[in-house]
Amino acid sequence: SQTIHQWPATLVQPVGSPLSLECTVEGTSNPNLYWYRQAAGRGLQLLFYSVGIGQISSEVPQNLSASRPQDRQFILSSKKLLLSDSGFYLCATTGGRHYGYTFGSGTRLTVV
Amino acid sequence: DQQVKQNSPSLSVQEGRISILNCDYTNSMFDYFLWYKKYPAEGPTFLISISSIKDKNEDGRFTVFLNKSAKHLSLHIVPSQPGDSAVYFCAASRVTSGTYKYIFGTGTRLKVLA
């Protein structure tokens, strides 16, 4: 079965600092990978998805970027964080016994 | 444009009674729907799914109903238990496109009272 690892679990960063969140997947090859964000009082917003190494699609124009340097690694980055980047970031992959996602445990990012 | 809507931000139900969570969508191309349950500071976990070729899917205490003409789905939890207290998200996708991009609703916070 698939397992998603996300780290760190919690992060507090000052405005203007860089960001790197990492997600790795086990138990599958060539997965579709996704980054979602849940902002306070809002639903889950799709930020980026990738169907293969080096292939990134952006859903929402923003201060963030994503990269997929290896088949089972997905990285979310920012060069300079904004207060509005605060939120709960989730990595997900497809597969399993349904057509939906398996989510990681998430990273709570607070920009101060 | 919010393609998937959960118009009730919260719901309180007595233990043992039925919980009904609702979800509306606007895109008639969606062909697969999911319900997820989420506890604070955790990733969402899959509950139940339904394909657009069906109008009902049941798994234990959880049943999802799909009304395609109304573009509406609902999740029924019977009987409700205190451990069901969480935020519930519905999600929709056009899986035939191959990208499996799910659009999520804003969630409904369910509180089951003991």
Side-chain angles (χ1 to χ4, degrees), chain A residues 18 35 50 57 67 69 90:
Chain A
W35 279 111
S50 171
S57 295
S67 62
L90 290 155

Side-chain angles (χ1 to χ4, degrees), chain B residues 3 5 10 13 18-19 27 39 51 60 63 66 68-69 88 100-101:
Chain B
Q3 296 187 64
K5 299 178 184 179
S10 64
V13 173
I18 184 171
S19 295
N27 189 341
Y39 293 116
S51 163
T63 303
L66 175 62
K68 283 181 294 183
S69 61
Y88 290 78
Y100 297 88
K101 292 192 301 178

Side-chain angles (χ1 to χ4, degrees), chain A:
Chain A
S1 63
Q2 306 169 92
T3 306
I4 298 186
H5 300 281
Q6 256 191 269
W7 65 93
T10 306
L11 192 59
V12 180
Q13 292 284 100
V15 169
S17 63
L19 173 73
S20 180
L21 301 181
E22 189 165 343
C23 167
T24 59
V25 182
E26 293 179 0
T28 185
S29 59
N30 196 29
N32 285 6
L33 295 171
Y34 306 81
W35 279 111
Y36 277 83
R37 177 174 62 199
Q38 182 185 16
R42 302 185 67 179
L44 300 174
Q45 182 185 37
L46 178 61
L47 304 176
F48 302 94
Y49 73 95
S50 171
V51 298
I53 296 174
Q55 300 179 61
I56 307 295
S57 295
S58 174
E59 290 294 301
V60 181
Q62 58 211 321
N63 185 41
L64 302 169
S65 62
S67 62
R68 186 169 176 176
Q70 300 181 44
D71 181 43
R72 287 174 284 180
Q73 183 184 31
F74 203 22
I75 297 172
L76 183 70
S77 303
S78 174
K79 292 183 179 178
K80 289 185 178 181
L81 284 169
L82 306 172
L83 287 174
S84 57
D85 292 323
S86 295
F88 191 59
Y89 288 83
L90 290 155
C91 181
T93 187
T94 48
R97 62 181 180 94
H98 53 81
Y99 288 116
Y101 297 144
T102 299
F103 282 94
S105 54
T107 295
R108 168 72 60 193
L109 171 66
T110 304
V111 183
V112 296

Side-chain angles (χ1 to χ4, degrees), chain B residues 88-107:
Chain B
Y88 290 78
F89 291 98
C90 65
S93 178
R94 186 182 172 206
V95 297
T96 49
S97 70
T99 57
Y100 297 88
K101 292 192 301 178
Y102 279 91
I103 308 298
F104 283 79
T106 51

